[in-house]
Amino acid sequence: MNQLLKFILMLGMFSLVGPTQARMTVINDVLGRKVEVDLPAQRVVLGIYAEDYMAIGTESAFDKVVGISRDTWEIWRPENWKLYTNYRPSLKDIPDVGEVETKTFSIDKVISLNPSVILLADWQYKGLGTDIGRFNDANIPIVVVDYNAQTLDRHIKSTMIIGQLTGQNKRARKISDEYKQTIESTLQRIKAADLAKPRTYVEYGNKGPNQYSFTYGKNMWGAVITMLQGDNVATPFIAWWGSMSPQQVLDSKPEVIFISGTESGVRGDAMVMGQGIDRKLAESRLKDFTKRAGWQQLPAVKNQRIYGIYHGAARTILGASMVQFIAKSMYPSLFKDIDPEEEYLDFYKKYLPVVPTGTFTTQITK
């Protein structure tokens, strides 16, 4: 009788434990694809958005990460990577699967890691093209998220998807709601003021002042400018991203200019922003861009409305504060009570295990 009772109790335990260990769930990703995934995800390959995955899923979510596209963190944002690996050295032990943009992404390496799910950005999924079929053949689900679009809808949807993958739905909802509230309150101020649309130019300053680099049309910083009711001067020339000619920029006469940068440009003459970057160095590099031929005659330069912004704070749920910074720069009279850089650091204090130090927003001052 005792043995029978034990057997019945064991069956009861399995009936309770089983569903939490393996629960097949359909995720609707940002492309409208319905993807079946065992949740919470146990073996994850991250193509990008590592900080978002940690902020939403908590640090423990990285216990389940078995592969990472390391270039999107270590190469793009080296000092930020160092900040995290000093805190958690085991991040260096996560296998690197290569990077889609540089065509080093290894399908074979990913498959060998036996992931239960692969998380990719929209642009990565599309960039892999027909190679995606190999993952389908191996029965490895791919979930697509997208912070690059810089739209409220995709930011929230991506955040909730990561919450599903990591079993942190409540935390994801809280982060999403805070992001939505910041964006909507910012837009309400602009709408209520009904000011003229400032002509705005943004450039990724990774090539330094001697060569014009990427600006943005419908996505990234370009999408933010448009959302904030600015006149993005790149719109007639650039669909998604690409370089405007020097003459096109001059003829556009921007009233506000943003030059973005990361830590990776510190060794050359590129714009530098981010973890560990001295503010005086960032301002000095920013001033170098004003010395371009013809720029002294631009309204933005004449009126000292040229700003530096951290490129690493784009395409992320951490970016609400950078939207605030762009809004404050475009409409300075409306946002005197907002300190965007402080807001950026506050997000780290609330949701991440490290807090960066450095320069994340700046402006040329006399």
Side-chain angles (χ1 to χ4, degrees):
M1 189 69 176
N2 288 339
Q3 292 298 324
L4 179 60
L5 180 59
K6 287 181 181 179
F7 180 72
I8 292 171
L9 289 173
M10 286 176 65
L11 286 177
M13 289 174 65
F14 281 127
S15 68
L16 292 173
V17 174
T20 62
Q21 290 179 329
R23 180 169 54 88
M24 191 64 74
T25 304
V26 175
I27 288 181
N28 295 301
D29 73 8
V30 297
L31 298 181
R33 299 163 60 250
K34 295 185 182 298
V35 187
E36 285 193 346
V37 186
D38 251 353
L39 297 181
Q42 297 300 306
R43 297 184 62 80
V44 183
V45 169
L46 288 180
I48 193 174
Y49 306 139
E51 273 195 299
D52 300 278
Y53 199 79
M54 189 180 292
I56 299 159
T58 75
E59 186 187 350
S60 64
F62 263 75
D63 296 339
K64 310 296 185 182
V65 175
V66 297
I68 190 169
S69 183
R70 195 156 151 173
D71 278 14
T72 62
W73 197 351
E74 182 182 19
I75 302 301
W76 295 4
R77 305 169 65 202
E79 294 304 313
N80 180 274
W81 166 258
K82 190 181 296 182
L83 176 68
Y84 277 93
T85 54
N86 284 343
Y87 167 77
R88 182 174 171 139
S90 62
L91 290 172
K92 295 179 182 179
D93 299 327
I94 300 174
D96 179 17
V97 299
E99 207 272 294
V100 174
E101 192 173 51
T102 58
K103 302 187 185 305
T104 59
F105 190 86
S106 172
I107 304 293
D108 291 332
K109 181 67 172 290
V110 173
I111 293 174
S112 74
L113 296 171
N114 191 31
S116 59
V117 64
I118 304 167
L119 189 70
L120 295 177
D122 181 4
W123 64 269
Q124 291 176 318
Y125 180 81
K126 292 172 179 174
L128 287 173
T130 57
D131 283 340
I132 291 295
R134 294 186 58 192
F135 293 128
N136 295 334
D137 293 341
N139 294 316
I140 301 172
I142 298 171
V143 174
V144 180
V145 291
D146 184 15
Y147 290 109
N148 283 57
Q150 291 287 172
T151 66
L152 181 57
D153 177 67
R154 284 211 167 183
H155 262 54
I156 290 175
K157 191 170 184 65
S158 298
T159 301
M160 295 308 298
I161 287 170
I162 293 175
Q164 284 183 277
L165 289 173
T166 59
Q168 291 288 341
N169 295 288
K170 185 176 180 181
R171 184 179 174 97
R173 173 56 63 192
K174 184 174 186 293
I175 292 173
S176 292
D177 287 348
E178 289 172 355
Y179 184 89
K180 183 179 180 182
Q181 193 279 327
T182 298
I183 300 303
E184 289 184 344
S185 63
T186 299
L187 295 178
Q188 285 168 4
R189 288 196 194 191
I190 295 170
K191 184 178 180 180
D194 194 26
L195 300 174
K197 294 184 176 183
R199 295 187 306 277
T200 306
Y201 173 69
V202 60
E203 181 182 330
Y204 181 27
N206 64 319
K207 295 183 179 179
N210 296 320
Q211 185 177 353
Y212 282 60
S213 188
F214 290 139
T215 186
Y216 302 91
K218 298 176 183 178
N219 71 338
M220 286 279 287
W221 299 122
V224 174
I225 292 167
T226 301
M227 177 176 66
L228 296 174
Q229 299 184 26
D231 179 4
N232 179 13
V233 301
T235 300
F237 310 104
I238 306 296
W240 296 103
W241 62 86
S243 299
M244 290 173 63
S245 72
Q247 194 59 49
Q248 286 171 335
V249 175
L250 294 176
D251 290 344
S252 299
K253 296 181 173 58
E255 299 166 293
V256 184
I257 292 175
F258 297 94
I259 304 294
S260 67
T262 68
E263 308 95 333
S264 62
V266 71
R267 294 180 182 175
D269 62 352
M271 185 60 196
V272 285
M273 299 288 292
Q275 166 65 20
I277 299 301
D278 181 76
R279 193 167 298 275
K280 289 183 179 179
L281 175 62
E283 290 181 4
S284 175
R285 295 284 179 91
L286 189 58
K287 286 180 181 177
D288 288 341
F289 281 84
T290 69
K291 298 171 186 176
R292 284 174 164 173
W295 274 45
Q296 289 298 317
Q297 302 309 311
L298 293 178
V301 177
K302 284 183 177 180
N303 297 318
Q304 291 190 311
R305 297 186 69 187
I306 179 168
Y307 304 87
I309 190 168
Y310 184 38
H311 201 72
R315 58 192 170 209
T316 171
I317 196 63
L318 284 72
S321 54
M322 294 300 119
V323 174
Q324 289 179 315
F325 176 67
I326 292 173
K328 184 173 183 175
S329 304
M330 290 167 61
Y331 310 99
S333 64
L334 302 183
F335 298 96
K336 292 180 180 179
D337 59 320
I338 303 294
D339 185 340
E341 191 161 296
E342 184 177 321
E343 296 285 336
Y344 181 65
L345 298 176
D346 282 346
F347 185 98
Y348 279 88
K349 293 172 185 176
K350 287 176 68 174
Y351 295 114
L352 286 160
V354 298
V355 179
T357 57
T359 306
F360 306 94
T361 65
T362 192
Q363 178 184 8
I364 289 180
T365 55
K366 288 184 180 179

